[in-house]
Amino acid sequence: MTSRRHFIQWLHVAGAALVAGPVAAQGQAKAVEEKEPQAASLGYVTDAERVDKSKFPKFAPPQHCANCQFYQGTEAASTAPCQIFTNRPVAAQGWCSAYVAKPR
């Protein structure tokens, strides 16, 4: 039988679980897809070799997400959060028109 005292002792654990659930879910954000409106408007592709050079003439190899200043991971990571896409993961070998080279 659960006493009121026992219930009150566990109430803080239940509250912490309610708060931690959404925080944990944010850590596993869904990767950006090319067909999303924002991604499409920026010309985002998961492979920079598929950039439409006639539509985005400023593209020049070796530009890709992993060497962009908005990419929040190491160049060795296959995906990492991007500041342009509210820190959602993008492909390291991807590209979009918001590309800005990382300062050396």
Side-chain angles (χ1 to χ4, degrees):
M1 181 169 142
T2 303
S3 69
R4 185 171 57 186
R5 177 175 291 180
H6 185 70
F7 174 77
I8 291 172
Q9 289 173 338
W10 283 97
L11 193 58
H12 72 280
V13 173
L18 289 172
V19 171
V23 170
Q26 288 176 357
Q28 298 175 5
K30 185 179 173 204
V32 175
E33 295 181 17
E34 294 177 12
K35 63 186 176 206
E36 294 176 23
Q38 181 187 13
S41 70
L42 292 172
Y44 173 73
V45 290
T46 57
D47 183 358
E49 302 223 353
R50 295 188 296 113
V51 172
D52 182 349
K53 293 166 186 78
S54 64
K55 197 172 179 183
F56 299 101
K58 82 170 202 167
F59 171 76
Q63 294 178 355
H64 56 277
C65 294
N67 61 24
C68 175
Q69 76 175 11
F70 300 116
Y71 188 76
Q72 300 299 298
T74 64
E75 286 197 40
S78 62
T79 63
C82 174
Q83 293 175 334
I84 297 298
F85 295 102
T86 59
N87 291 323
R88 290 179 49 214
V90 294
Q93 294 305 310
W95 183 89
C96 83
S97 62
Y99 175 87
V100 176
K102 279 186 182 175
R104 298 270 172 181

